[in-house]
Amino acid sequence: MGEVDPAFILEPEHRPRISYIEGKGVPLIDLSPILSSNNVSAIEFEGLVKEVGDACKEWGFFQVINHGVPLEKREKIDDASRKFFAQSLEEKRKVRRNEKEVFGYHDTEHTKNVRDWKEVFDFAIQEPTILPASLDPDDKEVTECNNQCPEYPPELRETCQDYGQEMLKLSYKLLELIALSLGLPADRFYGFFKDQTSYIRLNHYPPCPTPELALGVGRHKDGGALTILAQDDVGGLEVKRKTDGEWVRVKPTPDAYIINIGDTMQVWSNDRYESVEHRVMVNSERERFSLPFFLHTAHYTMAKPLEELINEQNPAKYRAFNWGKFIANRKCSNFQKLNVENLQIYHFKISE
Ligand code: OGA
Ligand code: NI
């Protein structure tokens, strides 16, 4: 990634500002009231539910501390990720993503048709993960996808599996808090994840000679229910603040996880909680590593506003769409430069 290929260069209006605001940032939420060893009072618990609900509504993003994920599990996957990416391109490309294998290594992802300054390794939580065989909406055929595992580091597979289990535990706690904040039973979302398509992504953003012209990840929204992100101490993640549309940097907090609402949750909540745009800046000196976990429903899930949250005064804002086809469509446009915008939930919006 030495010299800058024009494929990475953003249109002037989307280029990042090198000086950035660190003003009122995303809320920081302490999850200790729900750690299993704690005896929590009803008032404390209700306070937490409200805090989560407010953060979802006002920001679509928040950070959590005292989340119960053991630090050593995070350190282990971080270490495995650094070892993997430190290898030669030739070595990494042995586990490259291709037409048949959707998980694995890739270094040519595009966001909104501009190339991202990064390389990634994707690892599915469920093996095999069942996905639609094609983008064709009428084609019901599915395909079984397995993980590709590199020879080095040998512990990568087990480390990712372990970390994935921790991410699932945290996801279910968060889903409960979010469900309660919407006035729903705590377990309301559980059923959607039986045959989930969730995955962990290892991200590596190498130093970039022209950080003012390119982005690590261009502005985008995450498609799933939730994303749980671990970022290192370099920083670079920016969130579009809902109140004024400014890009705000999420300051790295040691051992915190950054949570964001994805498109699926926006649809379920009928726009009460919105999936917010974010992007990643790169810099010329330091490489950056991050670890998102994307919580995704089963491929056959029809995403649509929850019945309990709609009524005559507040009718459904989206028509139902198939999650598997939606994500397959997105993934396809992320890997090649197309001349059209990729699929977004507003394409399913019911006009008012
Ligand atoms: C993503 C993403 C943020 C980061 O991969 O969808 O937003 O900090 N990543 O790497
Ligand atoms: Ni994202």
Side-chain angles (χ1 to χ4, degrees), residues 90-347:
E90 188 193 350
E91 218 34 65
K92 291 181 280 197
R93 285 188 173 165
K94 286 184 184 162
V95 287
R96 197 178 193 176
R97 170 201 157 106
N98 56 50
E99 291 277 300
K100 278 205 352 259
E101 308 282 357
V102 297
F103 300 109
Y105 174 76
H106 32 255
D107 60 354
T108 56
E109 191 164 60
H110 290 74
T111 303
K112 312 233 187 262
N113 298 319
V114 179
R115 219 174 131 183
D116 293 329
W117 193 269
K118 68 170 181 190
E119 49 180 348
V120 314
F121 180 83
D122 288 340
F123 187 93
I125 293 302
Q126 197 148 311
E127 284 195 279
T129 290
I130 315 290
L131 289 168
S134 76
L135 299 182
D136 175 0
D138 299 319
D139 180 4
K140 298 278 181 277
E141 205 185 317
V142 295
T143 152
E144 289 194 353
C145 304
N146 284 294
N147 285 313
Q148 301 195 72
C149 283
E151 272 172 35
Y152 182 83
E155 71 278 13
L156 188 99
R157 182 186 183 84
E158 212 186 300
T159 305
C160 287
Q161 281 170 339
D162 259 20
Y163 186 75
Q165 291 312 305
E166 293 298 332
M167 290 297 103
L168 283 179
K169 273 193 247 164
L170 179 54
S171 297
Y172 289 127
K173 285 187 205 164
L174 292 164
L175 285 173
E176 286 188 10
L177 291 167
I178 293 172
L180 292 168
S181 78
L182 290 167
L184 302 165
D187 62 357
R188 179 63 175 91
F189 296 114
Y190 281 13
F192 296 112
F193 299 98
K194 187 169 160 279
D195 301 304
Q196 59 188 292
T197 52
S198 306
Y199 63 99
I200 299 170
R201 169 166 281 186
L202 313 180
N203 272 320
H204 175 221
Y205 303 95
C208 174
T210 55
E212 67 287 359
L213 297 179
L215 283 168
V217 190
R219 70 192 166 91
H220 69 283
K221 296 175 178 179
D222 294 347
L226 291 180
T227 305
I228 303 181
L229 175 86
Q231 69 164 343
D232 67 11
D233 63 341
V234 174
L237 174 64
E238 294 189 329
V239 173
K240 198 164 184 176
R241 186 160 57 194
K242 285 181 79 172
T243 50
D244 57 5
E246 285 288 348
W247 288 103
V248 181
R249 177 74 62 116
V250 183
K251 204 173 158 194
T253 305
D255 195 29
Y257 285 93
I258 300 163
I259 315 297
N260 64 292
I261 295 294
D263 293 344
T264 308
M265 186 60 78
Q266 174 166 352
V267 169
W268 280 337
S269 74
N270 206 29
D271 283 354
R272 273 170 67 181
Y273 296 162
E274 285 169 332
S275 171
V276 164
E277 262 188 338
H278 51 286
R279 66 182 189 185
V280 175
M281 281 182 61
V282 280
N283 71 77
S284 53
E285 278 108 52
R286 290 184 68 192
E287 63 181 340
R288 175 174 181 266
F289 292 86
S290 74
L291 299 161
F293 166 74
F294 300 106
L295 181 71
H296 288 183
T297 58
H299 77 88
Y300 50 73
T301 306
M302 293 302 289
K304 59 173 194 233
L306 298 178
E307 296 292 334
E308 304 94 306
L309 300 180
I310 53 177
N311 54 41
E312 250 169 60
Q313 288 76 48
N314 182 22
K317 294 188 163 134
Y318 298 89
R319 46 197 167 84
F321 61 90
N322 175 274
W323 166 254
K325 297 287 178 187
F326 179 80
I327 191 67
N329 227 296
R330 276 265 182 106
K331 279 189 163 283
C332 171
S333 67
N334 285 354
F335 289 96
Q336 48 199 326
K337 192 168 159 62
L338 304 172
N339 293 320
V340 291
E341 202 201 353
N342 65 1
L343 195 59
Q344 300 290 336
I345 51 172
Y346 70 74
H347 292 120

